[in-house]
Amino acid sequence: MAVAAELGAVVRAGGRVRGLRESSAETRLNLLSRQSVDGLHRHLPGAVRQLREAGAPVDWAQLLGDLAGWRQYGGEVKRRWLQDFYRERHRSGVRAAREADDAEGAGGDM
């Protein structure tokens, strides 16, 4: 069972799962983070639909809390979403580098 994650990390993971370009996932998250409450009502359903189709594990309770506090704490929420996205991207890059190093080490032993 997958652990539910913050929206930023989920957008990053959802992009990987569905084969979306990373820049598309990043653009989507940046668009969401620039929205007013009304803008979120227009743009968030489509983003959530894509994530659900990808099987990405959204933390629904956290998302609800983020949306409820958007007017008062929107800056903090946006920053957290973006930080989570970039943190997950960094982790993915580190994992990929380790796997490449391991594969190279395994193939180079003679």
Side-chain angles (χ1 to χ4, degrees):
M1 180 171 171
V3 175
E6 287 278 349
L7 188 66
V10 170
V11 168
R12 170 72 175 104
R16 269 196 338 266
V17 170
R18 293 202 62 209
L20 297 174
R21 289 189 338 221
E22 184 171 323
S23 61
S24 297
E26 184 176 15
T27 299
R28 168 79 68 155
L29 186 59
N30 277 303
L31 175 69
L32 289 173
S33 69
R34 290 191 310 266
Q35 298 304 309
S36 65
V37 171
D38 290 338
L40 278 176
H41 286 191
R42 283 190 304 275
H43 294 283
L44 189 60
V48 169
R49 190 175 314 107
Q50 278 188 318
L51 294 171
R52 289 187 62 157
E53 289 171 1
V58 176
D59 182 341
W60 298 108
Q62 180 64 54
L63 181 57
L64 180 59
D66 289 348
L67 297 176
W70 194 262
R71 281 192 172 93
Q72 187 173 2
Y73 303 108
E76 294 171 27
V77 172
K78 295 169 189 181
R79 184 175 59 248
R80 191 175 66 245
W81 286 3
L82 292 168
Q83 286 174 340
D84 290 340
F85 178 87
Y86 291 112
R87 187 177 301 117
E88 179 59 29
R89 182 165 77 176
H90 174 73
R91 286 180 186 147
S92 295
V94 168
R95 277 192 298 272
R98 284 185 183 145
E99 290 171 5
D101 288 347
D102 291 346
E104 184 177 299
D109 292 340
M110 293 203 164

